[in-house]
């Protein structure tokens, strides 16, 4: 195959990735708006104290999502790897083995959480005595919702691996609208508000699980269960999952562990502020995950087929797409945070602590998401042991360090300072591992071609946006102007200073194709 033909094929693949990213971005735009309004309804329906109770109790269950997310990553990785090697027969084996592992995982988590959860809620969390019974019900419904989310892993993994994002975009949008419906009816049912909200989310989780089952079974021939006794396949899946588990535990622990830590030291009011910031984290993370979901299968397939030049292109595209898209969102939000949060939650529902938590959470989220292209290459290679042990130990250190800071009577905002410091050191370690496992990677090229322009563009775009902010005095006009102009400034600076000629050409081709459609 000539180089020109390979380049045409790669260009077609990249166009598909950009199209999938656009589909997911439209989905994210809709879901983010709906989710932010849902938070407002939930906060209004439950009240600040009950909202803090819900986040603390749900956090106990969410601590175990590290186990389920590990299996999700493993399943998607092996689907994509064998699609890249054109080994279709292996896909049904992976599906069947992952179903068996999911069932074992669900049974284990039910036993573990039922043994520990109710006691922990009654004795360790700060919950008003009058809300304790409702909190226990919320725990049971949160556990049920979590079980359904784990059971959908093998089916959702098949959708991602085949790089078909329409089913995912459609189902997740329906899920978001159903959650909005649950939030709207808080206080209108003849049962306790907390219990109603928890049970509603469990029902939504069941509907989503069934939707993924039906979709995957209809679209993909490999989604057919069969008895599988191949020990090496289970060993391969479990081995990969085992070393990925620690990394997932660190990621979940940073957020959910912090939720419990803040509740233990400062009570439900501060806990509610962190819960609101966590909703922002989830919204921004959805944007990042939209890019990662479109990119990750292609990167693993490129590695499996040993197409290293194309893998390098995808790595560069992924870094820039993640950083600059999130930067275009983050800069206007941080500068207009007080106004945005007032409109979001309503006058009287916000505070300086909520605003500061949300601003710092935005910084943390951007730094955290930069690890995705690096981690994808390490996962494609399968070398997870030392990567997870060392890199994620740095990440997980945020919890004991935050606990120590609170013991020294530090402010609640110190939890963000610690999280940001840990995730920054962890990223430096990730670069070292990528260089060790992937000889083609050049740290100097990464620093000079991505990090340095990124810092310059972030500072320059922030400065220009702040100037715009200072010269407009009417809050609503200023908010609209900043939110429209600031992303354009970031995109213009990115095109001029951060993209090379090949990337500009690819973007130009895609835009022309989009206009023709």
């Amino acid at each position: 195959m000539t180089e020109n033909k390979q380049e045409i094929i790669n260009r077609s693949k990249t166009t598909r990735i950009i199209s999938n990213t656009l589909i997911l971005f439209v989905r994210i735009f809709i879901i983010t708006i709906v989710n932010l309004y849902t938070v407002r309804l939930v906060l209004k329906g439950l009240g600040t104290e009950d909202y803090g109770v819900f986040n603390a109790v749900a956090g106990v269950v969410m601590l175990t999502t590290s186990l389920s997310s590990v299996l999700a990553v493993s399943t998607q990785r092996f689907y994509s790897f064998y699609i890249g090697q054109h080994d279709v027969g292996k896909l049904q084996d992976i599906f069947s083995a992952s179903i068996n592992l999911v069932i074992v995982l669900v049974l284990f988590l039910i036993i573990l959480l039922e043994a520990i959860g109710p006691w922990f809620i009654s004795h360790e969390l700060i919950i008003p005595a009058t809300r304790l019974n409702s909190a226990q019900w919320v725990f049971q419904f949160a556990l049920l919702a979590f079980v359904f989310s784990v059971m959908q892993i093998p089916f959702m993994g098949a959708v991602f691996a085949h790089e078909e994002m329409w089913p995912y975009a459609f189902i997740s949008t329906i899920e978001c609208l159903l959650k909005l419906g649950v939030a709207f009816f808080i206080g209108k049912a003849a049962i306790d508000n907390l219990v109603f909200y928890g049970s509603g989310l469990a029902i939504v989780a069941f509907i989503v699980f069934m939707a993924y089952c039906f979709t995957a079974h209809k679209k993909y021939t490999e989604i057919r269960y069969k008895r599988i006794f191949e020990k090496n396949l289970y060993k391969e899946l479990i081995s990969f999952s085992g070393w990925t588990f620690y990394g997932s535990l660190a990621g979940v622990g940073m957020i959910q562990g912090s939720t419990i830590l803040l509740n233990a030291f400062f009570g439900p009011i501060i806990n509610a502020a962190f819960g609101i910031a966590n909703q922002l984290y989830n919204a921004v993370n959805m944007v990042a995950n939209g890019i990662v979901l479109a990119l990750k299968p292609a990167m693993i397939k490129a590695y499996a087929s040993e197409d290293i030049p194309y893998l390098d292109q995808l790595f560069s595209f992924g870094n820039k797409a993640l950083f600059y898209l999130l930067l275009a969102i983050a800069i206007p939000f941080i500068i207009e945070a007080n106004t945005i949060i007032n409109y979001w939650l309503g006058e009287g529902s916000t505070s300086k602590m909520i605003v500061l938590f949300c601003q710092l959470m935005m910084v943390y989220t951007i730094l955290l998401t930069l690890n995705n292209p690096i981690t994808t290459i390490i996962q494609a290679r399968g070398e997870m042991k030392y990567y997870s042990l060392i890199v994620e130990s740095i990440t997980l250190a945020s919890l004991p360090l935050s606990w120590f800071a609170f013991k020294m009577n530090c402010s609640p905002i110190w939890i963000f300072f610690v999280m940001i410091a840990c995730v920054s050191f962890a990223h430096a370690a990730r670069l070292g591992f990528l260089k060790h496992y992937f000889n083609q990677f050049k740290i100097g090229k990464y620093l000079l071609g991505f990090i340095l322009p990124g810092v310059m563009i972030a500072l320059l775009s922030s400065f220009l946006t702040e100037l715009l902010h200072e010269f407009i005095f009417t809050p609503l006009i200023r908010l609209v102007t900043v939110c429209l102009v600031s992303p354009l400034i970031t995109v213009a600076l990115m095109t001029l200073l951060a993209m090379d000629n090949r990337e500009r050409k690819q973007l130009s081709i895609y835009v022309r194709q989009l206009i023709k459609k």
Side-chain angles (χ1 to χ4, degrees):
M1 181 178 289
T2 65
E3 185 178 349
N4 287 338
K5 286 183 180 179
Q6 184 62 52
E7 193 171 319
I8 291 170
I9 291 172
N10 286 346
R11 188 179 299 144
S12 175
K13 291 178 181 176
T14 304
T15 301
R16 183 179 185 184
I17 291 170
I18 296 173
S19 297
N20 283 337
T21 303
L22 184 62
I23 291 169
L24 292 171
F25 185 76
V26 171
R27 160 205 171 262
I28 288 161
F29 179 76
I30 296 170
I31 286 178
T32 300
I33 293 173
V34 175
N35 275 345
L36 293 178
Y37 186 65
T38 300
V39 172
R40 176 172 178 157
L41 288 178
V42 173
L43 185 60
K44 181 180 178 181
L46 295 181
T48 302
E49 186 173 75
D50 271 6
Y51 186 73
V53 169
F54 178 83
N55 278 282
V57 173
V60 175
V61 176
M62 293 304 292
L63 274 172
T64 61
T65 56
S66 53
L67 290 169
S68 63
S69 60
V70 162
L71 190 55
V73 168
S74 301
T75 303
Q76 292 169 34
R77 185 264 179 186
F78 283 99
Y79 274 138
S80 298
F81 188 87
Y82 286 110
I83 290 175
Q85 290 197 332
H86 308 290
D87 189 352
V88 180
K90 198 76 172 176
L91 297 178
Q92 189 177 5
D93 292 345
I94 294 168
F95 170 74
S96 301
S98 64
I99 284 288
N100 293 338
L101 290 175
V102 158
I103 291 172
V104 172
L105 177 62
V106 163
L107 292 174
F108 169 75
L109 290 178
I110 290 174
I111 294 170
L112 175 67
L113 288 170
E114 288 291 1
I116 298 174
W119 170 85
F120 188 82
I121 291 167
S122 298
H123 294 85
E124 297 298 323
L125 294 183
I126 301 175
I127 295 174
T130 55
R131 308 305 293 142
L132 194 56
N133 184 58
S134 297
Q136 294 289 1
W137 275 107
V138 167
F139 171 78
Q140 298 298 329
F141 286 123
L143 177 57
L144 186 60
F146 177 62
V147 166
F148 290 132
S149 69
V150 174
M151 292 297 295
Q152 76 190 29
I153 287 171
F155 305 93
M156 191 165 62
V159 173
F160 293 156
H162 284 275
E163 298 183 68
E164 295 185 4
M165 298 304 165
W166 277 111
Y168 170 69
F170 178 75
I171 294 172
S172 56
T173 301
I174 295 300
E175 177 186 10
C176 181
L177 293 174
L178 288 173
K179 288 181 178 178
L180 174 64
V182 173
F184 179 78
F185 283 104
I186 294 176
K188 296 177 174 64
I191 60 174
D192 181 271
N193 289 342
L194 268 177
V195 176
F196 172 81
Y197 186 55
S199 61
L201 294 184
I203 293 170
V204 171
F206 173 73
I207 293 171
V208 171
F209 163 63
M210 293 303 297
Y212 277 115
C213 290
F214 177 80
T215 301
H217 188 270
K218 280 286 185 183
K219 289 182 70 68
Y220 312 121
T221 56
E222 68 268 19
I223 306 302
R224 302 291 185 275
Y225 180 79
K226 69 176 184 180
R227 287 189 170 186
I228 181 80
F229 300 102
E230 191 179 335
K231 291 183 180 179
N232 287 336
L233 179 58
Y234 286 110
K235 184 178 179 181
E236 200 174 2
L237 281 165
I238 293 171
S239 176
F240 184 89
S241 300
W243 294 116
T244 308
F245 167 70
Y246 192 50
S248 184
L249 177 66
V252 174
M254 286 277 276
I255 298 299
Q256 302 303 332
S258 298
T259 300
I260 295 172
L261 204 57
L262 285 169
N263 178 270
F265 277 92
F266 301 103
I269 302 300
I270 292 296
N271 201 222
F274 189 82
I276 292 166
N278 195 31
Q279 294 298 326
L280 177 68
Y281 166 82
N282 291 333
V284 176
N285 227 17
M286 277 199 297
V287 178
N289 286 339
I291 298 171
V292 174
L293 288 174
L295 198 69
K296 191 171 187 176
M299 290 183 70
I300 294 174
K301 291 172 188 176
Y303 183 88
S305 60
E306 299 182 355
D307 190 352
I308 303 304
Y310 184 54
L311 177 62
D312 187 58
Q313 289 179 30
L314 292 175
F315 179 73
S316 175
F317 172 79
N319 283 318
K320 292 175 183 178
L322 274 169
F323 180 70
Y324 291 110
L325 181 56
L326 295 186
L327 192 67
I329 297 170
I331 290 174
F333 176 84
I334 290 172
I335 290 175
E336 290 288 339
N338 191 64
T339 304
I340 291 172
I341 293 171
N342 270 325
Y343 280 120
W344 173 23
L345 301 179
E347 292 288 344
S349 297
T350 188
S351 66
K352 289 183 179 179
M353 188 64 73
I354 291 175
V355 172
L356 189 56
F357 271 29
C358 288
Q359 289 171 321
L360 291 171
M361 182 66 87
M362 184 68 81
V363 175
Y364 162 74
T365 306
I366 292 179
L367 293 174
L368 178 67
T369 55
L370 290 180
N371 83 81
N372 282 294
I374 299 172
T375 303
T376 298
I377 293 179
I378 302 294
Q379 288 173 345
R381 184 179 172 87
E383 301 279 358
M384 297 302 297
K385 180 178 179 180
Y386 296 108
Y387 177 81
S388 295
L389 282 174
I390 294 176
V391 170
E392 306 303 349
S393 290
I394 299 172
T395 305
L396 201 56
S398 68
L399 290 180
L401 289 174
S402 296
W403 176 86
F404 179 76
F406 295 153
K407 279 290 185 181
M408 299 298 292
N409 296 319
C410 290
S411 164
I413 64 169
W414 268 82
I415 201 162
F416 288 101
F417 298 151
V418 173
M419 288 164 63
I420 289 169
C422 287
V423 81
S424 300
F425 281 113
H427 192 74
R430 293 179 201 278
L431 293 176
F433 274 100
L434 184 60
K435 176 62 181 173
H436 177 73
Y437 288 130
F438 193 64
N439 291 330
Q440 292 86 346
F441 174 68
K442 307 294 182 186
I443 292 182
K445 179 183 176 183
Y446 181 85
L447 295 176
L448 295 176
F450 173 58
I451 296 296
L452 183 59
V455 172
M456 291 173 56
I457 291 169
L459 293 175
L460 186 55
S461 184
S462 298
F463 174 73
L464 294 174
T465 303
E466 181 62 32
L467 281 180
L468 188 64
H469 172 84
E470 291 297 325
F471 279 100
I472 303 175
F473 300 101
T474 306
L476 182 58
I477 295 175
R478 184 180 62 209
L479 173 64
V480 172
T481 304
V482 166
C483 288
L484 289 176
V485 175
S486 180
L488 295 177
I489 293 172
T490 302
V491 170
L493 291 173
M494 175 197 71
T495 306
L496 292 172
L497 303 178
M499 296 180 74
D500 57 33
N501 291 330
R502 177 183 53 77
E503 290 167 336
R504 291 192 193 99
K505 182 179 178 182
Q506 180 67 52
L507 183 61
S508 176
I509 291 170
Y510 179 74
V511 170
R512 287 200 300 269
Q513 290 177 348
L514 198 61
I515 292 172
K516 287 179 182 178
K517 292 179 181 179

